[in-house]
Amino acid sequence: MGRLSGPQLVTFTSVYVAYTLYVYVRRSFSYTIPILASEGTLDKKQLGVIVSSQSLAYTISKFCCGILGDIVSPRLLLSAGLVCSGITAIIFTGFDSVLLLSLWWFLNGLTHGAGWPSIAIILKAWTNPDQFGTVWSVVSTSMNLAGTVGPIVTTLLVTKLGWRYCIQIAGVLSITVGFLCLLIVKDKPGTNANKLKDMDNKKKEDKPAESNVSRSGFLSSVDIGGFVGSFVAGYLSDYMVSKNSSVSRPVIRKTLVLYFEILLGCVLYIFTIHISESSSNVIVTLVGFLIGVGIYGSISLFGVIAMETAPDKIAGTAHAISSIFSNMGLMLAGFPLSFISSLLDWQTTFLILVSTVTIVVTYLLLKLRTELSTFKSTSGKTLNLYNVLFSR
């Protein structure tokens, strides 16, 4: 990736910090679940209802805000979302009723839909096409930074201050950064006096504290893997695009998605069948890392594909539509998954997830075979899933 200008660096750094806080606030309650569950404050189903309420709202909001981002200033959308996210998170901590907690966490989920769609539009406006995949993936790692540091910070803060104060601190930070982004971030180059000059260049109770830290460590390993997976996915896809100019970019990126999904399916199977309480912490951490690589590598590429295949004027809408399905997964990971596990068991539940990944891999294989056959008939060249990535 070519050297970034001053305005580019300021913009990318600002949205990176902004989305780190978006993710941390959104997950702040989830990070407290192991502690709340061990203390018996809320049972598994109640926790699932609260988490799912936010995920449902986030799914709805991300779609609506994606469309809204094509109409209003993405800078305003980004900043307003952060401020409202912080306010609703702080109010959320003032209740004990599961109904009211679910209501306010639902409202908090509505605010989070403004985050990534507005950032996606800003990134596209500030990035050259041959840098877009890399920049997208680097900024995407903000969610992994939040996921890596978040569980550990939350465990420490909850131990010292309690879960309510922990979420309140996150809310105050979100409000503060929201106002800063309103002052610093610009929708696109040239919207203020600082013009981009080089835009055309290269482009607590029965459970000891150690048990909670161990759980947090596994969550952190997943997000460390996600950090690596997001960056590798973007950089590698840009590199392969530059080496295969005759092949459409979405085909190359979808081929990489296939490999990330295969990795995810294999590692999830190992996690489900072979990992137990007696497993080495090193092995568990490694498996968590690889799960993160598979999940976030795919997520990063799906976002790039959605933005690249849509005209600029509806880029936010295209990203919103693609985001609906990822956020449906977030919603299902709350109460529905908890409910299934209560009917069956966690091992069977995870085997269902492995089967789902297998279905996705099969679909991608069939889809890519069709696209590669079309490429062969129009160009006369023969390609397969290997030499799409590795031929020169």
Side-chain angles (χ1 to χ4, degrees):
M1 187 170 70
R3 185 177 180 180
L4 299 177
S5 67
Q8 279 180 311
L9 186 60
V10 169
T11 299
F12 297 156
T13 302
S14 299
V15 298
Y16 192 99
V17 173
Y19 202 64
T20 299
L21 271 174
Y22 260 116
V23 174
Y24 181 65
V25 174
R26 186 165 70 245
R27 297 181 181 178
S28 57
F29 180 73
S30 297
Y31 292 150
T32 68
I33 285 178
I35 297 173
L36 293 176
S38 66
E39 293 177 349
T41 306
L42 295 167
D43 63 36
K44 183 168 62 175
K45 291 183 180 179
Q46 290 173 325
L47 292 168
V49 168
I50 296 171
V51 172
S52 287
S53 68
Q54 185 199 49
S55 299
L56 173 61
Y58 183 40
T59 301
I60 298 169
S61 176
K62 201 167 184 180
F63 173 70
C64 296
C65 289
I67 299 173
L68 191 61
D70 292 328
I71 303 172
V72 304
S73 163
R75 172 180 64 98
L76 293 177
L77 195 62
L78 174 70
S79 302
L82 272 173
V83 173
C84 292
S85 170
I87 292 173
T88 53
I90 292 171
I91 296 175
F92 167 79
T93 63
F95 299 96
D96 294 311
S97 163
V98 173
L99 177 61
L100 291 175
L101 287 171
S102 299
L103 172 63
W104 278 102
W105 214 226
F106 178 88
L107 295 176
N108 181 266
L110 290 179
T111 69
H112 285 272
W116 193 256
S118 57
I119 289 175
I121 295 170
I122 292 169
L123 291 181
K124 190 170 185 182
W126 281 85
T127 311
N128 291 321
D130 61 351
Q131 298 175 326
F132 185 49
T134 303
V135 171
W136 176 287
S137 295
V138 170
V139 176
S140 294
T141 62
S142 59
M143 71 178 72
N144 307 119
L145 177 61
T148 300
V149 178
I152 299 172
V153 171
T154 298
T155 299
L156 295 175
L157 288 177
V158 171
T159 302
K160 298 291 184 181
L161 303 174
W163 70 271
R164 299 180 192 273
Y165 280 110
C166 178
I167 295 178
Q168 288 168 10
I169 290 171
V172 170
L173 288 173
S174 181
I175 294 169
T176 303
V177 173
F179 282 114
L180 289 175
C181 285
L182 188 62
L183 297 174
I184 296 172
V185 176
K186 305 300 174 184
D187 289 340
K188 56 185 178 180
T191 54
N192 69 340
N194 296 319
K195 306 282 186 180
L196 251 183
K197 298 185 181 183
D198 58 344
M199 220 24 209
D200 293 324
N201 288 347
K202 290 180 180 180
K203 315 216 195 110
K204 149 171 157 206
E205 196 174 353
D206 295 324
K207 302 287 184 182
E210 290 78 7
S211 295
N212 293 323
V213 172
S214 176
R215 295 172 189 150
S216 299
F218 176 77
L219 292 174
S220 294
S221 70
V222 173
D223 279 281
I224 292 172
F227 188 100
V228 174
S230 293
F231 178 79
V232 169
Y235 182 83
L236 186 59
S237 66
D238 280 350
Y239 176 79
M240 294 306 175
V241 164
S242 68
K243 296 296 182 182
N244 296 273
S245 57
S246 62
V247 185
S248 70
R249 285 177 291 183
V251 169
I252 293 175
R253 300 197 200 275
K254 279 186 281 188
T255 304
L256 275 174
V257 169
L258 174 64
Y259 288 119
F260 277 108
E261 290 289 332
I262 291 173
L263 171 65
L264 176 60
C266 293
V267 179
L268 273 178
Y269 180 80
I270 293 172
F271 176 79
T272 305
I273 301 300
H274 298 291
I275 298 297
S276 65
E277 293 181 356
S278 61
S279 299
S280 163
N281 286 335
V282 175
I283 298 298
V284 173
T285 300
L286 177 61
V287 169
F289 174 84
L290 293 175
I291 288 174
V293 171
I295 292 174
Y296 289 100
S298 300
I299 290 174
S300 176
L301 288 171
F302 278 131
V304 174
I305 292 168
M307 294 291 287
E308 279 189 335
T309 53
D312 288 347
K313 63 181 180 181
I314 60 167
T317 302
H319 184 266
I321 292 173
S322 69
S323 297
I324 285 178
F325 298 98
S326 64
N327 287 288
M328 283 177 63
L330 287 174
M331 182 183 68
L332 293 173
F335 176 72
L337 198 66
S338 299
F339 181 73
I340 292 173
S341 71
S342 67
L343 294 177
L344 305 172
D345 56 70
W346 277 112
Q347 186 178 52
T348 304
T349 303
F350 271 89
L351 284 175
I352 293 174
L353 294 179
V354 173
S355 300
T356 303
V357 175
T358 303
I359 293 171
V360 172
V361 169
T362 303
Y363 170 78
L364 283 172
L365 276 170
L366 296 174
K367 179 70 173 174
L368 285 168
R369 284 184 54 144
T370 301
E371 292 182 357
L372 293 175
S373 297
T374 303
F375 174 84
K376 178 182 177 181
S377 63
T378 56
S379 67
K381 297 180 180 178
T382 301
L383 284 177
N384 56 43
L385 293 176
Y386 177 84
N387 61 31
V388 161
L389 297 184
F390 303 109
S391 62
R392 293 298 183 100

